[in-house]
Amino acid sequence: MKKKIVILMAVLLLIFSSMVTFVACDDESNNETLEEGVIVLTNAVIGEKAYIGDKTIKKVVVKASVVKILDMAFSGCENLETIVFEEGITTIGKQAFQGCTKLKNIVFPASLTSIGSYAFMDCSGIESISFARGSQIKAFYEFSFANCSSLKSVVIPASMEAIDKYVFAGCSKLSDVTFEDTTTWYACLSYADWINKTGGNQCDATDKEFMSSRLRYNVNEFVYPIFWYKL
């Protein structure tokens, strides 16, 4: 009799464990749904390399619950054509969308504060990038839009405080870089001075015309790295 009870308890425990596992997996699938090339993201953090190289994805919807997309999350998703951001996300990590060559136009939400290094590098199909009214973007990091060879114009929001080196390197069609505000920017040759905003010997106040021309240089030209910030 005792053996039967022990066996019955073991069976019940196994069934219960399977049910718990199933529920956990089901909850996870509800957070990130993939159907007919469309993925809807709801998790607060989208992990590193989560969908790297996935050629089935055509559209990504980033819901308001998403706060961060980490490094290389969608890198190499060559058939990704559209990203729809709801307000909520603050950070796009390094190489997050690098090499997504079919992306066309991107509207970033006002909640976004930083775009990581190489985040959209080699997205050769991007023609325009814009920011929602009231943008909180603070920084572009190095090579974040490099080699976006179809990009034609960029508006730098008034909230922007720092632009790393070579952000638009190789954007051969970029002919217009405009600024929403008239605040003085400083050009630095020293990374340390840029980080510390010292305004020392390696940082000089610059006009928007010079800044625009340097941001638009072709990658085939030799131009020394410049780090930009405003006070």
Side-chain angles (χ1 to χ4, degrees):
M1 183 66 179
K2 289 183 179 179
K3 287 184 178 180
K4 290 182 178 180
I5 293 174
V6 171
I7 292 172
L8 179 60
M9 291 179 65
V11 171
L12 290 172
L13 181 61
L14 181 61
I15 293 173
F16 178 75
S17 299
S18 299
M19 290 175 64
V20 171
T21 302
F22 174 77
V23 170
C25 290
D26 186 60
D27 286 346
E28 183 66 19
S29 66
N30 285 337
N31 285 335
E32 301 182 357
T33 303
L34 180 62
E35 184 178 354
E36 297 181 353
V38 179
I39 185 167
V40 180
L41 305 178
T42 59
N43 287 345
V45 178
I46 308 304
E48 293 185 8
K49 301 181 181 180
Y51 300 95
I52 187 171
D54 191 331
K55 293 177 174 56
T56 66
I57 299 174
K58 296 181 179 180
K59 181 178 181 179
V60 173
V61 179
V62 184
K63 303 297 283 184
S65 55
V66 179
V67 179
K68 295 181 179 180
I69 296 178
L70 299 185
D71 300 353
M72 302 180 72
F74 292 91
S75 180
C77 292
E78 296 176 356
N79 292 313
L80 176 59
E81 299 174 352
T82 307
I83 307 172
V84 178
F85 291 100
E86 293 186 359
E87 292 292 342
I89 189 169
T90 62
T91 306
I92 295 177
K94 297 177 182 177
Q95 298 175 272
F97 294 93
Q98 182 177 1
C100 296
T101 55
K102 291 188 178 180
L103 280 174
K104 293 293 184 183
N105 304 305
I106 303 176
V107 179
F108 294 108
S111 57
L112 187 66
T113 59
S114 70
I115 296 175
S117 304
Y118 308 91
F120 292 89
M121 183 176 181
D122 298 326
C123 292
S124 55
I126 292 179
E127 297 176 352
S128 68
I129 57 173
S130 58
F131 295 82
R133 181 176 296 180
S135 175
Q136 300 175 46
I137 189 75
K138 300 297 183 185
F140 286 155
Y141 291 98
E142 61 179 349
F143 294 96
S144 52
F145 294 97
N147 295 336
C148 291
S149 54
S150 298
L151 185 62
K152 298 175 182 178
S153 64
V154 175
V155 176
I156 307 297
S159 58
M160 188 73 72
E161 296 177 353
I163 299 177
D164 204 344
K165 62 182 180 180
Y166 304 137
V167 167
F168 299 108
C171 296
S172 54
K173 292 184 179 179
L174 182 58
S175 59
D176 183 24
V177 178
T178 57
F179 298 81
E180 283 189 345
D181 68 352
T182 58
T183 307
T184 299
W185 281 78
Y186 290 81
C188 302
L189 301 182
S190 162
Y191 180 78
D193 283 342
W194 179 64
I195 289 296
N196 297 320
K197 295 186 178 181
T198 61
N201 294 331
Q202 294 297 311
C203 297
D204 296 310
T206 186
D207 60 65
K208 295 296 194 300
E209 183 177 351
F210 171 77
M211 186 174 179
S212 177
S213 68
R214 289 303 86 191
L215 286 174
R216 291 186 286 108
Y217 86 92
N218 190 291
V219 73
N220 295 319
E221 299 175 24
F222 174 76
V223 178
Y224 48 82
I226 300 179
F227 308 87
W228 312 89
Y229 76 86
K230 70 178 183 183
L231 294 175

